[in-house]
């Protein structure tokens, strides 16, 4: 039931929400998380961010994360979209949507999806700084701790 | 003397340091785990040694599944080395 | 910073998200909850739902809920929209959006906003049943318990 | 002998039972709290008594703020009675 996509193109949360819920009257609750590019990182101004990924493994891990969410909460569908390539500050990066009859299931599943996506899907961010140079974003312990609240993705 | 080739992939700063994104190598006798493969690859060139640093900072996947250093590698496998992920 | 609206007209989560984030590159994270009309309640099929409210007090309580969220989490803005009048199954009822530099703040604030909105804003739902008749929805203890996780709205 | 009028509002099933959504009443001497007002309003008609049932199921707001039975009411106030809210 999950829709999982990796794409360079932008997405629209309104269109994705309609695609998830359109024509259905059994849902009731949609929780979502939308991540966008910030123009500041560690006190340095960012002019762009490039998302690299591992084609093949990315889709597999995203599908597994979605299936895990569907096993843990009574979901009627979920959507995971992650952009790749070069993005500018303010642009969309990632969207998760979780639909359920129950609002806490929808919100908790959205939190789970983004926490695991950040720690178990093979994406890497490279930042371009306004004062010159580039740098790969380092994984944060807080992301690991956040994901670990939900248990651990196999092997990650 | 090799037993067959495996495909090695590098991502993010590992790819930049090693200087290639993908290479096919003949898996030598005696190399049967991710950890042993990583040590052996480090000997291929100074750039490999600079990319495949030892320690906690490198992650690996075998056939697109996360794998620890004790995980088995066999001819025909696809093995990827990369930094901890930072998407989302 | 909060945008609080009570309206009969439908809304679009995409347009509302753009209105909240448009032109800003300091946000990073938007958590949201969208509630829609379900066609089943307590095992009975629903053909429509009518939302009544207390004009004046509704806007005051929604503004206070938004201000409370902005005091508890580092938000860069939030949106609360609640529809009134007669709605059909599948239609949008309520939307909350919370924007923050931090994803857990955005998601927790969205959860807080909908939990308090359900227990402290003066709206009442009347359902029309497919087998005839109408009925006012009764408040659920679980909603009170969910809201109480966050403390209690003054007096509610 | 009244001291001045207050505006009373009813919502949802209270409104349906009482039969009006809004009324202005002269606040009698001796009625100084939400609870006393509710008891006094119950005596206005059988429909008021049916709507303003006693017990936990009725909520009140004075000047658009939630108010318990001991809250003060004064001439000029806007007082609303309604069921527990069910929006969202």
């Amino acid at each position: 039931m999950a829709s999982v996509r990796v794409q360079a193109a932008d997405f629209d949360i309104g269109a994705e929400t309609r695609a998830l819920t359109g024509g259905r009257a059994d849902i009731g609750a949609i929780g979502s998380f939308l991540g966008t590019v910030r123009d500041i990182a560690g006190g340095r101004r960012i002019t762009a961010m490039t998302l690299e990924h591992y084609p093949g493994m990315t889709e597999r891990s995203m599908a597994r994360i979605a299936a895990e969410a569907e096993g843990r909460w009574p979901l009627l569908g979920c959507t995971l979209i992650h952009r790749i390539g070069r993005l500018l500050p303010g642009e969309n990066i990632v969207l998760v949507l979780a639909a359920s009859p129950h609002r806490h299931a929808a919100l908790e599943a959205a939190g789970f999806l983004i926490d695991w996506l950040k720690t178990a899907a093979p994406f890497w961010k490279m930042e371009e700084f306004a004062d010159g140079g580039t740098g790969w974003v380092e994984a944060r312990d807080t992301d690991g701790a956040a994901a670990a609240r939900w248990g651990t993705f196999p092997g990650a | 003397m090799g037993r067959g080739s495996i495909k090695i992939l590098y991502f993010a700063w590992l790819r930049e340091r090693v200087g290639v994104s993908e290479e096919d190598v003949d898996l030598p006798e005696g190399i049967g785990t991710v950890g042993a493969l990583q040590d052996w690859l480090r000997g291929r060139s100074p750039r490999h040694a600079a990319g495949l640093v030892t320690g906690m900072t490198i992650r690996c996947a075998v056939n697109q599944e996360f794998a620890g250093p004790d995980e088995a590698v066999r001819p025909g496998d696809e093995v990827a080395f990369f930094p901890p992920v930072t998407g989302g």
Side-chain angles (χ1 to χ4, degrees), chain A, chain B:
Chain A
M1 267 176 312
S3 170
V4 165
R5 283 161 25 217
V6 179
Q7 63 188 43
D10 196 12
F11 53 77
D12 175 66
I13 187 175
E16 296 304 330
T17 300
R18 283 187 292 279
L20 179 64
T21 63
R24 298 187 69 154
D26 56 346
I27 289 180
I30 302 100
S32 83
F33 179 83
L34 171 65
T36 60
V37 181
R38 293 186 66 205
D39 63 357
I40 292 277
R44 294 177 78 180
R45 190 154 292 275
I46 301 297
T47 53
M49 175 177 277
T50 298
L51 270 296
E52 180 172 327
H53 78 125
Y54 181 175
M57 181 172 171
T58 314
E59 292 80 356
R60 284 163 72 109
S61 59
M62 289 171 74
R64 192 186 293 184
I65 292 166
E68 183 74 24
E70 291 180 332
R72 293 185 185 207
W73 289 278
L75 302 187
L76 296 170
C78 62
T79 300
L80 284 75
I81 305 174
H82 203 299
R83 292 181 71 190
I84 51 173
R86 190 169 183 271
L87 305 175
L88 301 179
E91 283 200 75
N92 294 326
I93 304 173
V94 62
L95 175 68
V96 304
L97 299 173
S100 173
H102 307 290
R103 79 178 181 285
H104 290 120
L107 280 168
E108 284 180 22
F112 168 84
L113 288 167
I114 189 63
D115 281 348
W116 268 33
L117 201 52
K118 278 188 173 272
T119 52
F123 292 96
W124 300 274
K125 287 182 180 135
M126 189 196 69
E127 292 166 333
E128 298 173 37
F129 301 108
D131 54 13
T134 63
W136 291 94
V137 173
E138 285 186 41
R140 293 182 304 179
D141 291 344
T142 53
D143 287 334
R149 292 185 303 159
W150 310 104
T152 315
F153 187 91
Chain B
M1 173 119 181
R3 296 173 290 154
S5 79
I6 63 173
K7 184 201 235 180
I8 312 286
L9 303 174
Y10 306 102
F11 292 98
W13 57 254
L14 263 88
R15 172 182 52 71
E16 290 182 337
R17 290 192 192 177
V18 174
V20 296
S21 59
E22 182 177 334
E23 57 186 342
D24 286 298
V25 300
D26 275 335
L27 193 64
E29 292 292 340
I31 303 297
T33 65
V34 163
L37 177 63
Q38 182 177 347
D39 287 341
W40 177 76
L41 287 168
R42 285 169 50 78
R44 280 171 66 84
S45 80
R47 296 195 66 165
H48 281 79
L52 291 156
V53 287
T54 51
M56 289 294 292
T57 49
I58 291 192
R59 297 287 183 274
C60 182
V62 175
N63 298 326
Q64 304 186 354
E65 302 277 350
F66 284 100
D70 298 331
E71 198 86 19
V73 291
R74 298 180 187 83
D77 283 349
E78 173 178 303
V79 180
F81 294 96
F82 46 78
V85 305
T86 57

